Amino acid sequence: VRFPPVKIIYGPVSFIHYWGLFTLRTTKKIFLDDPLFRYRCKEVGKNLQTSFKVPLTTPNLHIYIGNNCSINGYTTFSAAAINTDPTLIIGSNTTIGYEVVISAAERVEIGNNCLIADRVFIADNSGHPINPTLRLKKAKVPKSEISPVTIGDNVWLGYQSVILRGVTIGNNSIIGANSVVTKDVPANVIFAGNPAKL
């Protein structure tokens, strides 16, 4: 059964529905989600902006956020349970887009004034052991497959790009959309492709 969208009925219903949801989401964010996220961080600078969906985090991750940062919805900041103090550092004036996933087993550092587009994936570890026998045993990632990621200042990571373990990206560089970065990127360049190259 389908009801026709009669304007005189569904106009007011649409208005009430929109503003009702907006009020509920805003209230939840102000009094629950945002304070909980800040509580889980080791340090948060001034003027942090979050959307209705604050980042999903794991308790063992040490998070440091600079001033004037913006973190959009459905992001995930996770830590592999390998080291005692996995660390994520986000510099000042940095924007993180929707559905960004950052996995830190040791250290991921993002500089100041960076633009991290939607659906970017950053990891300092392989996620699962490369050795098939270890994977069958459900073993943790070995330390030999963990290497910090460092992203310099004023870097732009394009939509759905992937930054893998051990990578350093120099200041002012751009990573093209859908690129897979497997090696260091110098400053002031554009890298793109799979694998990404100059």
Side-chain angles (χ1 to χ4, degrees):
V1 177
R2 293 190 180 202
F3 293 96
V6 180
K7 188 174 183 180
I8 194 169
I9 297 173
Y10 289 101
V13 169
S14 175
F15 179 85
I16 293 167
H17 179 259
Y18 175 84
W19 285 107
L21 284 178
F22 179 83
T23 303
L24 286 173
R25 288 174 177 172
T26 302
T27 303
K28 183 173 178 284
K29 175 192 169 185
I30 291 171
F31 293 104
L32 180 64
D33 296 341
D34 193 67
L36 274 177
F37 175 66
R38 290 169 182 270
Y39 173 78
R40 290 174 182 150
C41 295
K42 292 290 184 182
E43 186 177 303
V44 177
K46 300 175 184 176
N47 304 318
L48 172 65
Q49 299 293 320
T50 58
S51 68
F52 290 122
K53 293 288 184 181
V54 299
L56 176 65
T57 61
T58 49
N60 59 324
L61 182 60
H62 298 219
I63 303 172
Y64 299 84
I65 301 175
N67 297 321
N68 307 310
C69 288
S70 176
I71 301 175
N72 287 293
Y74 301 98
T75 55
T76 301
F77 299 155
S78 66
I82 299 166
N83 295 314
T84 55
D85 57 350
T87 302
L88 169 61
I89 299 173
I90 301 172
S92 295
N93 307 306
T94 287
T95 298
I96 295 182
Y98 282 87
E99 297 184 343
V100 170
V101 175
I102 300 175
S103 172
E106 184 177 325
R107 184 182 181 91
V108 172
E109 183 169 357
I110 300 171
N112 302 313
N113 304 297
C114 291
L115 298 172
I116 312 298
D118 298 346
R119 296 185 174 177
V120 167
F121 176 78
I122 303 169
D124 70 351
N125 62 90
S126 57
H128 298 284
I130 294 173
N131 184 304
T133 304
L134 292 177
R135 285 201 307 277
L136 283 172
K137 294 178 179 179
K138 309 293 185 187
K140 295 178 182 179
V141 177
K143 292 193 175 183
S144 60
E145 295 174 23
I146 300 170
S147 187
V149 170
T150 303
I151 297 169
D153 295 334
N154 196 32
V155 168
W156 176 14
L157 303 182
Y159 175 80
Q160 212 161 265
S161 54
V162 175
I163 314 300
L164 297 179
R165 61 188 172 99
V167 166
T168 295
I169 300 177
N171 295 342
N172 308 311
S173 287
I174 297 172
I175 305 301
N178 296 297
S179 297
V180 178
V181 183
T182 60
K183 62 182 180 180
D184 289 352
V185 176
N188 304 298
V189 298
I190 299 175
F191 260 48
N194 181 6
K197 59 184 179 181
L198 187 64

